[in-house]
């Protein structure tokens, strides 16, 4: 998924994990994800209302900032 996102010019990945699912949260953090609701999270600023940042009760939205891969010509 990450490779595809980079190749297609995406700048971030977002996912939701159930709060309290500590093993999943730890896995995503080890792979570069941070909490999306934090104002200092990559790709997000306080009050920016970034699309896809909405979350359901009991979910934690996490984001990973990507640097797109520019194809060689």
């Amino acid at each position: 998924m990450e490779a595809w996102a980079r190749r297609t010019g995406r700048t971030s990945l977002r996912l939701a994990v159930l709060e309290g699912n500590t093993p999943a949260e730890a896995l995503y953090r080890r792979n570069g994800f941070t909490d999306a609701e934090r104002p200092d999270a990559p790709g997000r600023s306080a009050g920016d209302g970034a699309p896809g940042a909405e979350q359901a009760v009991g979910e934690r939205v996490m984001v990973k900032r990507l640097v797109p891969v520019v194809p060689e010509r």
Side-chain angles (χ1 to χ4, degrees):
M1 177 70 71
E2 185 172 334
W4 170 84
R6 289 177 190 277
R7 281 193 314 271
T8 58
R10 302 308 192 265
T11 59
S12 65
L13 292 174
R14 291 182 185 275
L15 59 83
V17 61
L18 292 176
E19 291 205 20
N21 187 347
T22 307
E25 289 180 22
L27 172 71
Y28 297 135
R29 288 185 199 291
R30 283 194 307 272
N31 285 281
F33 284 84
T34 60
D35 294 332
E37 65 271 8
R38 283 192 3 232
D40 61 337
R44 182 151 168 103
S45 60
D48 73 354
E54 301 82 16
Q55 67 189 72
V57 174
E59 287 185 339
R60 176 181 308 274
V61 176
M62 300 180 82
V63 64
K64 179 176 182 178
R65 186 145 175 96
L66 302 176
V67 176
V69 174
V70 179
E72 294 183 26
R73 293 187 181 232

